């Protein structure tokens, strides 16, 4: 089952690359917009060799992990408080309803006003993009925990912190995990697009800046090399990291939905 | 499974096929007072008067990269941009030509004069907002950095890329220390109070007068529809002449479009250093500087980028 899934992905991916190569070499479109895959791969190797791609990747990864960690802790605290106190629940419900649909980019002028132009603002944009979906998922997870589990917890005499970490978190882990998956995708989008709106050269930009800069100087193969890097990271984290977490947790605990 | 893949991929090919239309011309522009003749040309229907059977479609694109991509996709026939991005495209092998000048503008680097009284006091740790690397603003800054400070790349690590309105906000809020901008933003920043002044003018940076915005046309458009191109150039010339001859009427037309008071627009379009002209200025110097500093690598010359009709 798992093996055929991987084979399926490989067939699709190879087919897409093949189609890309055919369209690019057909003369239907300009190679300046759609360079052949072979040229893109060569550029990828060149950018990797020069170190530029790795540095951008590490910077972006750093931002994304920092944003998800900070947003995750915040979302967990807010969700736990909402679960305990109705007033907090109403407040977080209202904030989520208002702020979740707003793209971080739309709020960028406000963020720049308060946090200036720099790494803090980028981090705030990422936190904004991850915290609301996480709150929604974690809260949904908490409310979905059957009352019988909670009673077991109180029968064991578990106090609030232990109760949360030993009953609520494991029981709602499938929701938390799907929240984290959404957060991962959102964080990347936020990091990449924020860097495209305000890029800071020289002082080290991430993959968003890498892609944008290549586009400005019309290094199209280089631009696609950056996009390819984003795709590869997505695949590694999605089918590597998240799969691993899933296997170690929800599948083993038998709480997967 | 394989069948599904084939069907999906075949359908996706249609995404790349776009409809082209022989009865229209699509022109790309950007935002700012430097593009004023285009608004006049449109309002006064100068082109439609010459070519009643054709429709002109105007598209406003956010940056020059988008203009290049639209031209490559066959979606845009002609457009307006700064000389450097045009050269970068030509250098990478794009078949497009410079067909006319449009405007000479008082662009410049604006900063708070108490903090940065002149270009010499600009430091590497100051943050400079400008539209993007490789833009005319960036090239002008590099030119001044080379001449006055001996290193063209001196401020390359200090750049923050922002559109003009965002850059103005960033300057006024103190998020950046300087802003390389163009009309009307340069006027607003200088006249808005708060002690902001132009510390480096464009002409000073360039070492002479240069075309800020020029017109380009796609190679296929030039080759396939030369009469249409001529009409377009004639209409452009009329629009430029119209601004020179009747600035008040232009200000009235433009006030509605830029949502600025008519008297401000009149002052801006007649500002010292603001010229609408189809003459192309400074092309050779841009090519020379950009080649020396590796922005261009194909050994581009003036005649490679100039439309044949202009080369005499």
């Amino acid at each position: 089952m798992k093996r055929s899934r991987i084979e399926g992905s490989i067939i699709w991916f190879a087919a897409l690359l093949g189609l890309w190569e055919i369209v690019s070499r057909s003369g239907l479109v300009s190679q300046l917009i759609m360079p052949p895959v072979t040229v893109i791969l060569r550029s990828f190797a060149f950018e990797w060799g020069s170190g530029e791609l790795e540095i951008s990747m590490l910077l972006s990864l750093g931002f994304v992990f920092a944003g998800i960690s900070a947003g995750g802790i915040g979302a967990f605290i807010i969700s736990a408080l909402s679960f305990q106190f109705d007033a907090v629940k109403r407040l977080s419900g209202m904030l989520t309803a208002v702020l979740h649909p707003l793209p971080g980019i739309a709020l960028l002028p406000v963020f720049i006003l308060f946090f200036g132009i720099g790494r803090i603002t980028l981090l705030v944009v990422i936190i904004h993009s991850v915290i609301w979906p996480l709150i929604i998922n974690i809260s949904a997870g908490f409310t979905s925990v059957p009352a019988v589990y909670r009673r077991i917890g109180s029968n064991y005499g578990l106090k609030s912190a232990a109760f949360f970490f030993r009953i609520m978190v494991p029981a709602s882990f499938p929701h938390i995990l799907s929240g984290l998956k959404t957060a991962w995708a959102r964080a990347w989008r936020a990091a990449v697009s924020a860097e495209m709106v305000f890029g800071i050269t020289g002082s080290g930009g991430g993959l968003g800046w890498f892609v944008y800069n290549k586009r400005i100087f019309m290094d199209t193969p280089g631009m696609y090399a950056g996009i390819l890097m984003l795709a590869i990271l997505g695949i590694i984290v999605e089918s590597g990291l998240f799969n691993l977490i899933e296997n170690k947790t929800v599948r083993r605990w038998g709480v997967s939905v | 499974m394989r069948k599904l893949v084939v069907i999906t991929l075949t359908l996706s090919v249609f995404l790349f096929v776009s409809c082209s239309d022989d009865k229209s011309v699509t022109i790309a522009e950007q935002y700012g007072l430097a593009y004023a003749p285009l608004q006049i040309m449109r309002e006064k229907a100068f082109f439609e008067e010459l070519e009643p059977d054709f429709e002109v479609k105007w598209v406003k694109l956010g940056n020059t990269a988008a203009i290049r991509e639209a031209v490559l996709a066959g979606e845009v026939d002609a457009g307006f941009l700064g000389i450097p991005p045009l050269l970068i495209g030509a250098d990478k092998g794009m078949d497009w030509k410079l067909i006319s000048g449009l405007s000479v503008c008082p662009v410049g680097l604006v900063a708070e004069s108490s903090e940065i009284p002149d270009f010499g006091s600009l430091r590497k740790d100051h943050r400079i907002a400008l539209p993007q690397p490789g833009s005319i603003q960036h090239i002008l800054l590099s030119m001044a950095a080379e001449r006055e400070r001996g290193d063209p790349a001196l401020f390359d690590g200090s750049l923050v890329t922002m559109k003009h309105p965002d850059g103005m906000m960033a300057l006024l809020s103190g998020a950046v220390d300087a802003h390389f901008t163009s009309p009307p933003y340069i006027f607003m920043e200088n006249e808005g109070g708060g002690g902001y002044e132009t510390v480096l003018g464009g002409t000073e940076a360039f070492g002479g007068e240069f075309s800020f915005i020029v017109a380009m046309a796609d190679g296929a458009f030039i080759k396939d529809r030369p009469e249409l191109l001529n009409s377009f150039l004639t209409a452009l010339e009329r629009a430029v002449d119209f601004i020179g001859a009747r600035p008040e009427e232009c200000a009235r037309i433009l006030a509605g479009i830029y949502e600025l008071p008519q008297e401000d627009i009149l002052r801006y379009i007649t500002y010292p250093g603001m010229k609408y002209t189809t003459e192309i200025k400074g092309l050779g110097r841009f090519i020379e500087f950009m080649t020396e500093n590796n922005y261009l690598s194909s050994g581009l010359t003036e005649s490679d980028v100039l439309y044949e009709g202009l080369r005499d």
Side-chain angles (χ1 to χ4, degrees):
Chain A
M1 160 71 195
K2 204 177 157 197
R3 199 165 163 172
S4 71
R5 211 171 74 187
I6 292 170
E7 272 171 16
S9 324
I10 291 172
I11 292 174
W12 272 106
F13 198 63
L16 275 173
L17 291 183
L19 177 81
W20 182 285
E21 186 82 16
I22 291 165
V23 173
S24 169
R25 294 202 182 270
S26 69
L28 280 173
V29 295
S30 168
Q31 290 200 0
L32 289 170
I33 312 188
M34 212 174 158
V37 176
T38 40
V39 176
I40 295 172
L41 291 177
R42 216 174 302 141
S43 169
F44 187 94
F46 172 79
E47 299 295 349
W48 187 268
S50 77
E52 204 186 333
L53 198 52
E54 294 99 303
I55 293 170
S56 308
M57 177 193 77
L58 289 175
L59 253 162
S60 286
L61 271 176
F63 272 117
V64 165
F65 278 115
I68 292 180
S69 311
I73 293 169
F76 187 82
I77 294 171
I78 293 171
S79 307
L81 291 174
S82 307
F83 185 72
Q84 300 280 31
F85 308 104
D86 259 359
V88 181
K89 189 177 178 176
R90 275 194 292 274
L91 177 68
S92 88
M94 190 270 286
L95 284 177
T96 310
V98 173
L99 294 171
H100 187 207
L102 291 180
I105 297 302
L107 295 173
L108 205 53
V110 185
F111 293 156
I112 288 177
L113 189 66
F114 287 108
F115 305 106
I117 292 166
R119 302 187 166 181
I120 304 288
T121 301
L122 187 54
L123 195 63
V124 172
V125 172
I126 298 175
I127 293 174
H128 163 80
S129 70
V130 300
I131 195 164
W132 312 113
L134 277 173
I135 289 178
I136 291 174
N137 275 282
I138 297 174
S139 298
F142 286 169
T143 39
S144 74
V145 175
V148 62
Y149 287 12
R150 280 182 262 148
R151 277 191 221 116
I152 293 171
S154 15
N155 283 349
Y156 274 106
L158 293 178
K159 292 281 173 265
S160 42
F163 173 76
F164 257 102
F165 286 106
R166 298 184 60 179
I167 304 286
M168 298 304 284
V169 172
S172 55
F173 209 75
H175 286 94
I176 296 178
L177 200 60
S178 84
L180 281 173
K181 282 184 185 174
T182 313
W184 165 255
R186 294 277 179 89
W188 270 107
R189 283 192 221 174
V192 169
S193 48
E195 279 194 330
M196 288 182 173
V197 176
F198 75 95
I200 297 162
T201 60
S203 58
L207 278 174
W209 175 250
F210 181 93
V211 170
Y212 183 73
N213 203 33
K214 297 288 171 197
R215 179 178 171 223
I216 286 171
F217 285 108
M218 229 184 143
D219 177 2
T220 317
M223 179 183 91
Y224 285 115
I227 295 174
L228 187 64
M229 187 76 246
L230 283 168
I232 292 172
L233 283 174
I235 293 170
I236 291 174
V237 172
E238 178 72 25
S239 58
L241 186 66
F242 280 123
N243 231 337
L244 186 80
I245 297 177
E246 224 164 328
N247 286 336
K248 294 263 176 209
T249 56
V250 289
R251 289 214 186 97
R252 215 178 67 185
W253 301 337
V255 287
S256 60
V257 266
Chain B
M1 175 76 181
R2 287 213 183 118
K3 213 170 176 182
L4 186 66
V5 173
V6 171
I7 292 170
T8 315
L9 294 184
T10 316
L11 285 176
S12 66
V13 171
F14 288 103
L15 289 174
F16 299 103
V17 183
S18 61
C19 317
S20 68
D21 166 2
D22 287 346
K23 282 285 160 204
S24 71
V25 185
T26 309
I27 317 277
E29 57 168 322
Q30 300 176 82
Y31 189 82
L33 270 181
Y35 300 87
L38 310 182
Q39 274 96 34
I40 300 300
M41 184 173 160
R42 184 169 13 178
E43 278 313 295
K44 292 286 183 185
F46 286 146
F47 182 81
E48 289 82 349
E49 223 169 78
L50 295 167
E51 298 282 350
D53 296 338
F54 283 89
E55 186 199 349
V56 185
K57 291 180 185 160
W58 297 89
V59 288
K60 205 168 260 177
L61 294 172
N63 61 37
T64 47
I67 293 183
R68 281 196 297 249
E69 286 148 15
V71 169
L72 286 170
E75 296 290 323
V76 159
D77 300 303
F80 295 85
L81 72 176
I83 291 178
L86 181 118
L87 294 177
I88 290 173
D91 186 60
K92 296 280 179 186
M94 269 184 82
D95 178 25
W96 65 358
K97 301 285 178 207
L98 210 175
I99 55 170
S100 169
L102 184 72
S103 48
V104 171
C105 290
V107 298
L109 186 72
V110 181
E112 204 175 340
S113 51
S114 57
E115 164 82 10
I116 304 164
D118 50 38
F119 186 60
S121 38
L122 188 68
R123 292 190 315 266
K124 272 176 89 167
D125 61 328
H126 282 127
R127 286 174 191 233
I128 306 163
L130 47 75
Q132 60 197 31
S135 63
I136 189 162
Q137 290 82 0
H138 176 217
I139 299 298
L140 290 169
L141 181 69
S142 305
M143 283 175 162
E146 183 184 54
R147 185 173 328 102
E148 317 248 323
R149 313 285 289 271
D151 176 10
L154 186 64
F155 301 111
D156 281 5
S158 325
L159 309 181
V160 180
T161 69
M162 290 183 139
K163 291 183 196 303
H164 293 298
D166 297 340
M168 182 167 84
M169 285 301 148
L171 179 72
L172 301 184
S173 71
V176 296
D177 305 293
H179 183 204
F180 209 118
T181 190
S182 54
Y185 307 98
I186 188 167
F187 301 140
M188 295 182 193
E189 289 170 3
N190 271 285
E191 295 173 1
Y196 296 98
E197 274 171 29
T198 303
V199 293
L200 172 73
T203 326
E204 189 191 333
F206 189 78
E209 217 172 39
F210 61 93
S211 296
F212 176 61
I213 299 296
V214 294
M216 65 75 197
D218 181 29
F221 177 67
I222 295 175
K223 196 165 133 265
D224 301 341
R225 300 195 267 180
E227 331 72 53
L228 217 52
L229 178 70
N230 271 330
S231 303
F232 180 69
L233 288 172
T234 310
L236 194 62
E237 189 87 54
R238 279 183 69 185
V240 165
D241 292 345
F242 191 87
I243 298 189
R246 295 154 83 173
E248 287 83 10
E249 192 179 341
C250 290
R252 192 178 47 76
I253 296 172
L254 297 171
I257 298 166
Y258 288 96
E259 293 178 356
L260 286 169
Q262 197 175 322
E263 53 273 26
D264 285 357
I265 297 263
L266 182 62
R267 203 157 42 80
Y268 293 164
I269 61 176
T270 53
Y271 213 85
M274 188 86 175
K275 276 187 214 166
Y276 296 103
T277 167
T278 53
E279 198 187 327
I280 300 165
K281 297 175 184 198
L283 176 63
R285 174 77 187 118
F286 275 118
I287 295 180
E288 185 193 0
F289 180 83
M290 289 177 72
T291 304
E292 272 167 21
N293 291 285
N294 301 321
Y295 291 105
L296 306 176
S297 56
S298 69
L300 212 61
T301 63
E302 283 191 50
S303 58
D304 292 333
V305 283
L306 278 177
Y307 160 53
E308 278 179 21
L310 295 176
R311 277 187 253 148
D312 10 65

